[in-house]
Amino acid sequence: MVGAKLAVSTSARAKTLNGASISADEFVCAFNEVRAELVSTLFFMLGNHADAQDAAQDAFLKCWRTRQSLVEVRNMRAWIFRVGLNAAKDLQRSAWRRRAKPLTSAPPAEELMEDSPADKVEEKESLEQLRMALLELRPDEQAVFLLRQNGDLTYEEIAELRRSPVGTVKTQMRAALQKLRRVLKDK
C-alpha cells in the first residue's frame, strides 16, 4: 500500500461496519472534526507543537491509506486517535528526534493571545507539569489516560481499541490518575 495514490476522486468509496459507504470527502471531514483535539493530545505526549502537527499529519496519511479497512472500524474517532498515538510513539522512537531537541515546547502564540502575560506563564507551567507527569506514566497508562480524557472515549471503546478487557483498562486509568495526582501534588 506504500505506492498507493493519495489523490482519490470524491466518488471513491470505503465501506463502513453497517454496510453504508463513506466518500473520501466524508472521511476527510471526519478526520478534520477530531484534528484539533488530536493535535492537543499529541502535544501533551510530544511536548512540541510542530512534532504534534507532524504526528497528526502522519496519522492522517496512515488513516487515508487504510481507509478501506473501515469495514472493521466501529468508532472512527477512536480509530483516528489510536493511529495518532501510534504515530506519536513512532516519532518519539525515531533517532532523528532523539538527537534534535526542540528549541521551545510552547504552543503557537495565536493559541495564547487572550491571556495576560502572567496567566500565560502560569498556564504554560501547569501544562508543562502535566506533560512531564504524563511522561512518567507507563505507555499503556498514558495511552488509556489520553484516549479517555482527550479522545472522550468510553472504557468499553478503549478496551475494544486496545484489545484488552474493560477491567484492565479501568485499572490502567486508575493507576494513571493516582500517579498523576501524586506527581502533581508534589510539585
Side-chain angles (χ1 to χ4, degrees):
M1 288 214 175
V2 174
K5 289 185 179 179
L6 292 180
V8 175
S9 70
T10 57
S11 62
R13 313 284 286 175
K15 295 214 183 252
T16 61
L17 182 67
N18 61 8
S21 58
I22 182 170
S23 71
D25 286 342
E26 291 169 329
F27 174 78
V28 171
C29 287
F31 190 91
N32 284 337
E33 285 179 15
V34 299
R35 184 176 178 79
E37 288 179 77
L38 178 63
V39 170
S40 174
T41 300
L42 298 177
F43 173 75
F44 275 107
M45 276 186 77
L46 298 170
N48 179 295
H49 192 72
D51 287 345
Q53 290 285 358
D54 288 348
Q57 182 175 352
D58 188 38
F60 174 81
L61 291 174
K62 288 176 181 178
C63 290
W64 180 265
R65 289 179 187 130
T66 60
R67 70 190 179 284
Q68 275 69 29
S69 68
L70 288 176
V71 173
E72 302 161 8
V73 174
R74 293 187 184 156
N75 182 331
M76 190 176 300
R77 178 184 175 86
W79 178 60
I80 291 169
F81 264 85
R82 187 68 194 149
V83 173
L85 291 174
N86 286 337
K89 287 178 189 176
D90 291 345
L91 186 61
Q92 284 176 325
R93 287 190 292 256
S94 77
W96 176 256
R97 186 172 192 281
R98 284 194 302 267
R99 282 192 303 250
K101 298 295 181 193
L103 296 176
T104 179
S105 63
E110 63 266 15
E111 291 181 13
L112 301 174
M113 295 290 268
E114 303 86 36
D115 298 332
S116 71
D119 290 340
K120 289 179 190 179
V121 170
E122 186 176 321
E123 183 177 345
K124 183 178 176 184
E125 287 175 358
S126 296
L127 288 174
E128 187 62 22
Q129 284 179 343
L130 178 58
R131 190 182 76 74
M132 295 305 294
L134 281 171
L135 292 175
E136 293 181 24
L137 297 177
R138 290 190 340 243
D140 55 341
E141 294 168 346
Q142 188 181 78
V144 168
F145 178 82
L146 291 172
L147 287 169
R148 178 78 173 136
Q149 295 303 315
N150 289 31
D152 292 328
L153 303 179
T154 66
Y155 291 116
E156 292 76 15
E157 291 169 332
I158 296 169
E160 183 178 328
L161 187 65
R162 296 183 52 80
R163 295 180 179 97
S164 300
V166 175
T168 300
V169 170
K170 287 181 178 180
T171 300
Q172 291 167 338
M173 182 64 168
R174 186 172 33 257
L177 290 173
Q178 288 172 345
K179 288 178 183 179
L180 289 173
R181 283 185 191 118
R182 186 171 45 248
V183 169
L184 293 174
K185 181 179 149 189
D186 294 341
K187 292 186 179 189

